[in-house]
Amino acid sequence: MAIWKAVDGAPDTSVSEPTAVTIGNFDGVHRGHQSLLAATRAVAGDLSTVAITFDPHPVAIFAPDRAPVRLTTLERRIELLHQHGADHVRVLDFTREMASWSPVEFVQAVVLDQCHARAVVVGEGFRYGSRASGSIETLAASGAEHGFVAQESALAGDEEAFSSTRVRAAVAAGNVELAAELLGRSHEVEGVVVEGDRRGRDLGFPTANVPVDATYAVPPDGVYATRLLLPDGTRLPGATSVGTNPTFEGVVGRRVETYVLDRDDLQLYGQRVRVEFVARLREMVAYDSLDALVEQMHRDVAQARAALLA
C-alpha cells in the first residue's frame, strides 16, 4: 500500500541512504519541535535526517468534530521542517488501516523499510501503533533488534513544555505575542487575496482581503499590528482587521483585511500571501458614523506603526 503523500518539499518516495529519523505531527513547528529537530541533527552525525509527519491529523480520522484547528498549512509545515534541520520530509498519508498497525508493523514499514533508520528521536510521551500501544520502551526494543538507537527528547520551555495546544490557546485568546514566543516566529494566516467590497479603499485604507479558513487557527475579532508577506518574499508593515466589520450592515463571514502602511498602489488580487500577527491593538467595535471609524483607523495605523518599530 502507499504510505507517503506527495506534497511540494515532501515526495512520496522512500529514502535510500541510512538516516536519523524524528516522528511527530509537528503542527506549527514550534520551538519544542525545533529542539527535537536539533536533537535529531546532533544524533545524526554524518547521516541525513528525516522528519516524518502526519496528514490528516489522527484525531480527524476517528473524531472529526474534535480535530484541532491547524497552525499552518501542510506546505508551510514542510517548509519549516526543512528550515529547522530536516534534510528530508515525508508525510504519512494517515488512514484507519495505518492506525491499526502494531508498533512492530509501524517500525518495520516506516522506520526501517522506508527510511533505513540508524537513529530515531521522538518527543517525551510519543505514542505510536494501534491504540497508541507503542512507547519509547517498545521503540528501543525494536532498535535493539534491528540496529538503530532510540532516544526521547524533552520539548521543554522555561516553565512548561512547548506544545501545539498551548499555541492554539494563545491564538484563540488573541495573545499573538505569546504565540510568537512559543513558535519562535509570528503566527501566520495564509490565503489567496480576493476582491472585497472596496469600502476600505473608499475610506482611504485599501486592504488585502484573505478569506478565513475555519480549519486553521485565526485570532479572535479585533485589530492587529501585522506584516504582510508577498510571494516574492517582500515583507510589508500593516494593520489588520479580523472579523465581520460590525459598522457596516450586510457583511457576511469573517475576514482578515490588511492595510499595508502608506501604500495604496498594491494590486494583490489572486496572490497567495501570509499575514503575520505581531501584536493585538484592540477589540472589534461598531462605530456610529464613518467619520468616527476613519478617526479610529488613523489611530490604529499609528499604533500598528509603533508596535512594529518596537
Side-chain angles (χ1 to χ4, degrees):
M1 65 173 286
I3 291 178
W4 308 121
K5 179 178 293 186
V7 188
D8 286 347
D12 59 356
T13 56
S14 62
V15 183
S16 58
E17 72 268 23
T19 65
V21 171
T22 186
I23 309 169
N25 193 62
F26 295 118
D27 187 22
V29 193
H30 53 64
R31 289 173 61 191
H33 296 145
Q34 294 165 30
S35 71
L36 186 59
L37 289 161
T40 306
R41 173 63 65 187
V43 168
D46 294 333
L47 300 174
S48 62
T49 58
V50 183
I52 297 174
T53 186
F54 303 84
D55 189 70
H57 193 290
V59 175
I61 296 294
F62 297 102
D65 58 325
R66 293 194 290 108
V69 291
R70 293 176 283 180
L71 296 172
T72 63
T73 64
L74 178 59
E75 291 78 7
R76 179 62 169 149
R77 190 194 318 173
I78 292 166
E79 179 184 355
L80 289 166
L81 288 169
H82 280 302
Q83 284 182 8
H84 290 287
D87 296 311
H88 306 277
V89 178
R90 293 295 184 271
V91 180
L92 283 173
D93 190 5
F94 196 78
T95 62
R96 285 181 176 270
E97 180 180 356
M98 186 176 293
S100 71
W101 290 352
S102 69
V104 169
E105 289 173 319
F106 180 90
V107 167
Q108 186 62 57
V110 177
V111 175
L112 295 172
D113 292 349
Q114 292 291 309
C115 295
H116 308 288
R118 296 293 179 268
V120 180
V121 182
V122 295
E124 285 184 325
F126 174 76
R127 310 294 295 189
Y128 66 103
S130 177
R131 299 182 181 277
S133 55
S135 64
I136 186 61
E137 288 77 21
T138 59
L139 190 61
S142 292
E145 179 180 355
H146 295 288
F148 65 83
V149 296
Q151 175 178 313
E152 192 175 56
S153 180
L155 308 186
D158 294 335
E159 297 181 358
E160 58 183 305
F162 293 109
S163 73
S164 299
T165 299
R166 288 185 67 200
V167 179
R168 292 188 196 100
V171 173
N175 193 345
V176 296
E177 296 89 342
L178 175 58
E181 181 182 334
L182 298 172
L183 288 166
R185 66 181 188 282
S186 295
H187 177 62
E188 310 160 341
V189 171
E190 180 177 339
V192 175
V193 177
V194 300
E195 188 168 354
D197 49 31
R198 294 182 177 268
R199 286 197 181 97
R201 183 172 295 278
D202 293 341
L203 297 175
F205 296 91
T207 58
N209 302 310
V210 175
V212 171
D213 186 330
T215 66
Y216 287 91
V218 178
D221 293 2
V223 177
Y224 299 82
T226 58
R227 293 187 178 89
L228 188 72
L229 183 66
L230 305 185
D232 65 1
T234 301
R235 185 175 275 103
L236 301 172
T240 296
S241 167
V242 178
T244 57
N245 206 335
T247 300
F248 299 98
E249 295 182 356
V251 177
V252 178
R254 296 181 76 217
R255 304 176 177 186
V256 175
E257 301 179 274
T258 300
Y259 167 66
V260 176
L261 305 190
D262 307 318
R263 295 290 299 272
D264 58 8
D265 59 331
L266 294 173
Q267 297 295 327
L268 300 176
Y269 298 135
Q271 296 190 43
R272 178 168 287 276
V273 300
R274 290 204 300 266
V275 181
E276 302 174 343
F277 290 86
V278 177
R280 181 175 171 86
L281 303 179
R282 65 174 173 88
E283 297 181 351
M284 188 63 71
V285 177
Y287 291 90
D288 295 332
S289 69
L290 289 183
D291 287 343
L293 174 60
V294 171
E295 288 179 8
Q296 181 59 57
M297 292 170 76
H298 280 289
R299 288 193 290 270
D300 292 338
V301 168
Q303 286 183 299
R305 194 187 312 276
L308 295 169
L309 292 175

